[in-house]
Amino acid sequence: STPQPGSSADLPDLQCVSASAFEEPYTKPPKMRVCVVGSGAREVALARAIRSSPKCTAVLCFGSAKNPAITEFAAAYEVGQLDNPEAVVTFCKSFQADMAIIGPEAPLAAGVVDALEAAGVTAIGPTKEMAQVESSKRFARDIMMNYNIAGLPMYKTFTSTEGMEQYITKELRGEYVVKADGLMGGKGVKVSGLHLASVAEGVAFAQEVFDKGQQVVIEEKCVGEEFSLMTFCDGSHFVHMPAVQDHKRAYVGDTGPNTGGMGSYSCADHLLPFMTPKDAAIAKEINETMAAALKESTGGRVFKGVLYGAFMCTKKGVACIEFNARFGDPEALNVLSLLSSDLLAILEAIASGTLTPELVTFAPKASVVKYACPFGYPDKPAKGEKIDISGVQNPAGLFLGAVDMVDGALVETGSRTVAVVATGESLREAEQACEAEVRRLKGNLFHRPDIGTEKVIAERVKRQQEIRRVKVGVVGSTRGSSLQPILYAIHDGELNASIEVVVSNIASSYILQRARVNNIKAVSLSGKGRTREDFDRDVTAALENAGVDLVLLVGFMRIVSGEFCRRWHGRMLNVHPSLLPKHAALMDLAVHQSVLDAGDSETGCTVHQVIEEVDGGATVVQLKVKVEADDTAETLKGKVQQLEGQALIAGIRMLAETGSLPGEEMEENKKRKIGGGDAMVE
């Protein structure tokens, strides 16, 4: 079946929704015994943070292995199957746990939270149904589709390989990702160009997934820098954590196989060097809207815990790569090292539906995490070899992961062994401290010394700037005066754009000369004796050959055809010398005389989308100037012309920073998506 897109306007007002009828009222005990489910480095960080709370009387742990960093202070510890709800409940009831927080994803997918709540133990984490936001790729994408949530790539769910090759080649143009619908231990996603060298390889991998009894989601491949944004959520209120960037590849330089994460970093301003504040705002909105959609789609149940969105800064804007239903690892180590407030008080507020921003404070510092892993990780890791942590100078920054204690010695058990965390006033300070500490570990270990370094960060910023660089094509007939400020802004590094081509219908125009002296391709096309449509097709060919993202009409003295408007819909701007919609359809001095005749106190210019209706497209930017008593049409023209270049710069910058412009979508296709989702099932 094909779900129908809903509207974000249909979602409930999150601040006004009462507690779900499905839930029992939460009563806060004065002191608490808290069980941490899981036993990796992330759970060490959670256990330590909970233990430091004055509200905590005991930390319990139900883990898949015995972690010495937790056993040293846990009041009770049991090793068992994390995805066995009955075993987790029995442990929690036996040791009188008041609350349990779930670390990894497997127990959430298995319904451990449902079982704990049924047994009267407060659980921090989503129910099995809501945990599908992580455990089922199709579930998450269909929710995004149905509720019109931003950042959705094109996708389709398949139950067989029939029609898959055609979808990949025709709809996705060979740029695709194959995802197993369910959890596969980090091995369920492969990306074209990285893991898959051909469409045939992608189809073959999909068949492997089908053979394991799962469906497959084929998605549009997004390109850009990834980041993680985790959000404390009580179902109705949200507090966002600092943005973090993880490093999935095993080896230096982002090479080698994918891993659970070799390390991560965050910055003192809680953004990342390649991000804009707008990127962060969009990611936060996506997390919040997803939580609201989950509530709406499940009949009023609420998501309680940590909703973690994995995002990418693409040329088209922020794309949502996937959701997780718990703290990330290593990202949890970054944010918990910065958390200066009481984690247990936050968890209590999540349980009671009383979460407020005042409860959550993160230090304005940078953080860096680096994992040390056994050689051979992740494919054929060494196991059972001893490691020595005695040289570490800051034990509080050391988080044991996949280790065991054998005959009084720490030994590797095959996965990520030890995480080292450091914070600092700057990213450089944090990275240097982290790197110095991880080098003090002894044993059969390797790590990535490049994580968080200035060189790597600079490379990523440069790569992101290139991805988001706006390639501009200019079409004009006159002097092109408004083009010059744009050229200066690009030259001075103030605008992430490039002028790829200038096209004119007048061979002797100054705008073509302006292009040539700036080493820009100049194309002269005669329009004499030709239909508007025929001429415009040649203009389109010149623009397409230059690979432009945006078309600027700068003093173009022709009316463009409807065909041309449709081809460049949402990506063609004009500047009009008035504050539209006032004084529309007038030109040159007639516009400014109309302003004076109307007695307007201000005038200016409007950068707007070009559509078939003259001056009828959506406003992108307006800049204003006062009309003085002694102004004439000529003086107003001079004032407004000084604004036009700056207004065009603002429009280009908007596209560079957000990947979109007002009015870019067709009325019949207003979907807040990266590529326009497709929820069909084959």
Side-chain angles (χ1 to χ4, degrees), residues 24 61 69 103 161 246 255 289 316 363 368 387 427 513 541 543 588 637 672:
E24 294 294 327
C61 183
T161 58
D246 185 15
T255 58
T289 311
K316 299 178 184 177
V368 174
I387 63 168
L427 183 56
Q513 295 184 47
L543 295 169
D588 202 30
K637 178 180 178 179
R672 297 171 60 210

Side-chain angles (χ1 to χ4, degrees), residues 328-448:
D329 184 354
E331 294 93 339
L333 307 183
N334 294 94
V335 297
L336 292 176
S337 70
L338 299 173
L339 184 67
S340 53
S341 45
D342 186 334
L343 177 61
L344 187 49
I346 296 168
L347 301 182
E348 279 193 300
I350 289 172
S352 61
T354 58
L355 182 66
T356 64
E358 291 73 25
L359 286 170
V360 186
T361 304
F362 293 99
K365 292 185 176 182
S367 67
V368 174
V369 177
K370 299 191 184 191
Y371 259 111
C373 304
F375 281 104
Y377 173 80
D379 297 327
K380 295 180 179 179
K383 298 180 181 180
E385 298 202 27
K386 295 180 181 180
I387 63 168
D388 180 3
I389 62 173
S390 61
V392 168
Q393 294 183 1
N394 178 28
L398 189 74
F399 296 83
L400 298 179
V403 298
D404 198 1
M405 188 70 76
V406 178
D407 297 329
L410 280 175
V411 298
E412 303 166 324
T413 59
S415 190
R416 294 176 294 173
T417 307
V418 186
V420 173
V421 185
T423 62
E425 298 299 322
S426 66
L427 183 56
R428 181 180 184 181
E429 180 182 325
E431 188 280 323
Q432 290 178 343
C434 184
E435 180 63 21
E437 193 77 306
V438 76
R439 291 184 186 187
R440 296 184 181 108
L441 302 173
K442 304 299 180 185
N444 180 43
L445 298 167
F446 78 97
H447 73 285
R448 281 192 55 178

Side-chain angles (χ1 to χ4, degrees), residues 107-120:
L108 296 171
V112 165
V113 167
D114 309 64
L116 287 167
E117 290 183 343

Side-chain angles (χ1 to χ4, degrees), residues 372-531:
C373 304
F375 281 104
Y377 173 80
D379 297 327
K380 295 180 179 179
K383 298 180 181 180
E385 298 202 27
K386 295 180 181 180
I387 63 168
D388 180 3
I389 62 173
S390 61
V392 168
Q393 294 183 1
N394 178 28
L398 189 74
F399 296 83
L400 298 179
V403 298
D404 198 1
M405 188 70 76
V406 178
D407 297 329
L410 280 175
V411 298
E412 303 166 324
T413 59
S415 190
R416 294 176 294 173
T417 307
V418 186
V420 173
V421 185
T423 62
E425 298 299 322
S426 66
L427 183 56
R428 181 180 184 181
E429 180 182 325
E431 188 280 323
Q432 290 178 343
C434 184
E435 180 63 21
E437 193 77 306
V438 76
R439 291 184 186 187
R440 296 184 181 108
L441 302 173
K442 304 299 180 185
N444 180 43
L445 298 167
F446 78 97
H447 73 285
R448 281 192 55 178
D450 60 336
I451 290 174
T453 59
E454 291 179 339
K455 179 184 177 182
V456 168
I457 300 301
E459 289 172 351
R460 294 187 175 206
V461 169
K462 182 179 180 180
R463 186 165 61 222
Q464 187 62 40
Q465 286 178 337
E466 180 58 27
I467 288 169
R468 283 191 162 172
R469 178 170 60 89
V470 178
K471 298 178 181 179
V472 179
V474 176
V475 182
S477 306
T478 56
R479 299 178 63 86
S481 301
S482 299
L483 177 58
Q484 194 60 53
I486 300 172
L487 294 170
Y488 286 146
I490 293 170
H491 177 270
D492 295 343
E494 297 173 356
L495 184 63
N496 188 22
S498 58
I499 307 298
E500 299 294 324
V501 65
V502 174
V503 182
S504 180
N505 60 320
I506 299 176
S508 60
S509 63
Y510 279 108
I511 197 168
L512 288 181
Q513 295 184 47
R514 198 182 298 274
R516 294 185 185 106
V517 300
N518 283 280
N519 196 28
I520 296 168
K521 185 177 182 180
V523 177
S524 173
L525 296 172
S526 175
K528 290 182 180 180
R530 305 174 66 186
T531 65

Side-chain angles (χ1 to χ4, degrees), residues 101 120 265 310 330 338 415 436 606:
I101 179 168
Y265 70 93
L338 299 173
S415 190
T606 303

Side-chain angles (χ1 to χ4, degrees), residues 143 166 237:
I143 289 283
Q166 183 178 17
H237 311 96

